[in-house]
Amino acid sequence: MRVMDGAELLHRETVWLREIAARTRRYTAALPDLDDEELRGVRKAVLHAWIRYRYPIGLQFATNYVAVAATAIGMAVASSVAGGVAVLFARGSDSSTANTPWWLFPLATWAAVCLSLIANGRADLRQVVSLFHRLGLRGTTRRLASAYVGHWFVPAVALALVIVAVVAAWLTVVTALSASTGERLITAAAGLFGAVLGLMGNRWILTIQEFLRRKYRAPHGPRPLDGLLIELVVAAAVSFEARAHWWDLRNIKIVRRRLAFAIEAAQDTSVIRRRTSVRELAARRKARHFHAILAELIRRHDRAVAQVHTAEEYDAITASLRAGVLALAAEDLTALMQHSAAEPSVSRLARLVRRTGSSIILAVFAMVIPLLPGVDSATGEGVRVILLMTAALTLPPASDLASSSIRSVLERSLFDKSTN
């Protein structure tokens, strides 16, 4: 596999920096009523934040490939463990197992993982299909036969995922039809575990990427509010661009999606955690409190956009977003927080319940299903263990930025030199 030389890497970095500059000009130009000095100040602040917040091209590609491979291996191991647990309980049940092979349960888990990954990454798969359609047979063959890993990695992974998912799902369904009722119940529980595991694929990839990037990135790093400034200026620009059709449901959804990214960025305290040790509890608690207030402030704008009734209300929301961008660009936190309450309106208990709601429901089912009539003790215990494992998987908070971060890397891999 050929790696990028210095000249090619420098060229890619230059192209990407130009793209960042173009996006900065576009988003800041969408903010109205800015004089020349304010416009220059906002552009300079956003551009510098974007440069500090980004990762070098070479590091992005390397960490993406390593993270995808490590996630695939990790999910294969987790599926095998869950399938092994299911096999132990299925073999301990009173039902006959002569017609049911032992590999049914690991296979069911793996099939569910692959199908869940496909459902979660359907946008990326559409891009792969679109790329193949545009390249044609000859261009696709040259791309897949290229020595450069960036040309064939993403299409090869997508193709392998689809093939494995189809074969594994077909074998699972055919084999499960001849299984006993108790074993079908355990198979369904193993499939549920696999589905939840697959939905966490992006989260696993992002976690591994962040670990590697923090370890190997340049000594200088982003400031705590760089990510928020980037996402907020994009949200503000999108809201102003949608002003002519503010009542359109599609525009409302676009604005709310950008605000959701800004909320995620406001809640991010990773920079603070890297600056402090685990013993500095007071500093970390203060940082979490400040970022929670910021996230709640943006969340109020999101709720207001969802409930907007008139053009005047929409203009008030966009003006508030514009003021927030100007305050962040000028590093004026007093002006930024002047409309915030002393405490976030959502209590810690409510956020905890919202985060753990799905886990609680799965745990309740884990307790109830073994008590149902017709479920023997071994089958019930197997279902209980797998459902509790699934509940544990759903505990980590989800991140909407995961898929967008990964997709940005995949897009550069897919469409770079797509005419080759």
Side-chain angles (χ1 to χ4, degrees):
M1 293 181 297
R2 181 176 65 86
V3 296
M4 290 182 288
D5 56 21
E8 185 177 1
L9 186 60
L10 181 60
H11 172 71
R12 290 171 183 253
E13 293 283 359
T14 304
V15 171
W16 195 16
L17 288 174
R18 288 175 180 172
E19 180 183 353
I20 289 176
R23 290 184 181 182
T24 301
R25 288 193 297 269
R26 173 200 161 189
Y27 293 136
T28 54
L31 304 179
D33 302 327
L34 294 180
D35 57 37
D36 292 340
E37 183 177 355
E38 287 178 327
L39 184 59
R40 285 194 299 267
V42 172
R43 283 182 175 174
K44 180 180 178 180
V46 174
L47 181 60
H48 287 181
W50 220 321
I51 293 175
R52 289 191 300 264
Y53 196 68
R54 64 181 286 275
Y55 294 98
I57 287 284
L59 184 60
Q60 287 197 41
F61 278 105
T63 56
N64 184 62
Y65 300 150
V66 172
V68 170
T71 298
I73 296 173
M75 290 195 169
V77 172
S79 299
S80 300
V81 171
V85 172
V87 169
L88 292 177
F89 284 102
R91 291 300 181 261
S93 63
D94 297 332
S95 59
S96 173
T97 59
N99 296 326
T100 306
W102 64 269
W103 45 260
L104 168 64
F105 309 105
L107 185 66
T109 307
W110 185 243
V113 168
C114 294
L115 292 175
S116 185
L117 286 172
I118 291 175
N120 201 27
R122 56 189 180 276
D124 299 325
L125 291 177
R126 284 197 296 266
Q127 291 181 357
V128 174
V129 173
S130 175
L131 175 66
F132 285 165
H133 179 73
R134 190 168 68 248
L135 291 178
L137 180 60
R138 181 178 300 177
T140 301
T141 303
R142 285 202 304 265
R143 188 181 182 92
L144 293 178
S146 172
Y148 175 48
V149 64
H151 285 173
W152 58 261
F153 182 84
V154 175
V157 169
L159 184 61
L161 178 62
V162 171
I163 293 175
V164 171
V166 171
V167 174
W170 178 76
L171 286 176
T172 299
V173 173
V174 171
T175 309
L177 292 177
S178 61
S180 63
T181 303
E183 288 172 334
R184 290 179 185 175
L185 186 60
I186 296 180
T187 303
L192 176 61
F193 176 85
V196 174
L197 185 65
L199 289 175
M200 295 180 62
N202 282 351
R203 200 181 307 173
W204 283 27
I205 294 174
L206 187 66
T207 301
I208 298 173
Q209 281 181 332
E210 288 298 323
F211 171 77
L212 294 175
R213 290 174 181 178
R214 285 199 301 267
K215 186 175 180 61
Y216 295 106
R217 73 178 301 165
H220 64 276
R223 298 176 184 177
L225 297 180
D226 280 346
L228 176 58
L229 175 59
I230 294 169
E231 296 298 341
L232 193 60
V233 73
V234 175
V238 169
S239 66
F240 277 107
E241 290 173 349
R243 172 61 177 83
H245 302 281
W246 63 267
W247 62 87
D248 192 330
L249 181 60
R250 182 175 57 182
N251 291 335
I252 294 294
K253 289 183 177 180
I254 293 174
V255 173
R256 295 196 64 196
R257 186 169 182 267
R258 301 310 316 188
L259 287 174
F261 290 158
I263 293 171
E264 290 284 347
Q267 293 173 329
D268 183 16
T269 59
S270 58
V271 176
I272 304 296
R273 291 196 300 270
R274 290 195 292 270
R275 292 179 176 181
T276 58
S277 68
V278 294
R279 294 174 294 180
E280 297 178 274
L281 299 179
R284 292 190 171 205
R285 187 182 305 111
K286 185 176 180 180
R288 285 196 302 269
H289 178 75
F290 174 74
H291 283 262
I293 294 175
L294 278 178
E296 177 59 27
L297 183 59
I298 302 174
R299 198 174 285 113
R300 292 176 189 171
H301 289 76
D302 176 63
R303 290 194 292 265
V305 170
Q307 301 171 8
V308 67
H309 296 93
T310 64
E312 289 74 17
E313 292 179 359
Y314 187 87
D315 290 338
I317 297 169
T318 55
S320 181
L321 292 175
R322 174 185 176 279
V325 170
L326 294 179
L328 269 178
E331 299 181 355
D332 189 353
L333 297 184
T334 302
L336 178 66
M337 304 295 291
Q338 64 180 349
H339 298 299
S340 66
E343 296 286 343
S345 62
V346 181
S347 66
R348 180 175 297 181
L349 178 61
R351 293 195 300 270
L352 180 63
V353 171
R354 184 187 306 165
R355 178 185 299 178
T356 60
S358 57
S359 297
I360 294 174
I361 294 174
L362 287 171
V364 170
F365 275 104
M367 297 298 108
V368 171
I369 288 180
L371 303 178
L372 297 176
V375 179
D376 58 67
S377 59
T379 299
E381 288 302 321
V383 172
R384 174 176 293 171
V385 170
I386 295 177
L387 286 181
L388 290 177
M389 292 168 61
T390 307
L393 278 178
T394 62
L395 280 177
S399 175
D400 289 334
L401 289 179
S403 59
S404 63
S405 174
I406 297 164
R407 187 169 295 121
S408 65
V409 177
L410 296 182
E411 285 175 352
R412 283 189 291 274
S413 294
L414 286 172
F415 297 106
D416 178 62
K417 297 183 179 179
S418 61
T419 58
N420 290 347

